[in-house]
Amino acid sequence: FDFAGTDGRRYRDAYVAYALWMVDRFEPHWLNIAIEMNLFYEECSSTWPALVETEAAIYAAIKAEHPNLPVFPSFVLESLYGLDPDCTASASTCLEESAAIYEERYAALEGIQRDRFAIST
């Protein structure tokens, strides 16, 4: 979804309201506000900045009302490192390609608000 699109602001506001409702309703010990967020970058990099802004808006709203609650998104390790299970080159070539991809994808995480760095694999 493109949060910069026509209805983007409306959906972002709805997402913020939903996250606040969830925290008030369930009183979690921590909150993941964007599960496996970097998969979105991999598939929709042109709309990535709007997702980062949305994540920051959710983070700010939650922290304003619940400043001690750990809030964060999660990231997929294999995607972050560009690990391709189907790489047919030599192991060293696959790792070199992965290192270059990692630098780009880690740089894309700049601006993401978080209290933790959560990884799924």
Side-chain angles (χ1 to χ4, degrees):
F1 180 78
D2 181 4
F3 283 99
T6 306
D7 291 328
R9 180 65 181 209
R10 186 171 61 120
Y11 284 109
R12 180 174 52 197
D13 292 347
Y15 194 164
V16 169
Y18 176 67
L20 286 167
W21 174 83
M22 282 186 36
V23 171
D24 291 340
R25 174 75 170 103
F26 298 107
E27 301 177 0
H29 296 284
W30 49 266
L31 181 65
N32 183 338
I33 56 174
I35 297 171
E36 300 182 340
M37 188 174 175
N38 59 323
L39 293 181
F40 192 90
Y41 175 80
E42 193 174 317
E43 297 297 324
C44 306
S45 61
S46 65
T47 60
W48 176 252
L51 180 62
V52 172
E53 290 174 11
T54 299
E55 186 272 346
I58 298 163
Y59 179 90
I62 297 294
K63 295 306 272 188
E65 292 193 24
H66 305 276
N68 296 322
L69 180 67
V71 178
F72 53 88
S74 65
F75 308 99
V76 177
L77 181 67
E78 292 82 1
S79 176
L80 184 60
Y81 278 90
L83 298 175
D84 181 359
D86 300 322
C87 183
T88 58
S90 69
S92 62
T93 300
C94 290
L95 288 174
E96 286 175 24
E97 291 172 3
S98 173
I101 291 169
Y102 170 79
E103 292 301 325
E104 170 201 333
R105 292 184 179 173
Y106 189 77
L109 304 184
E110 184 177 337
I112 293 175
Q113 303 300 303
R114 60 186 183 262
D115 299 321
R116 304 286 189 275
F117 195 89
I119 293 289
S120 63
T121 184

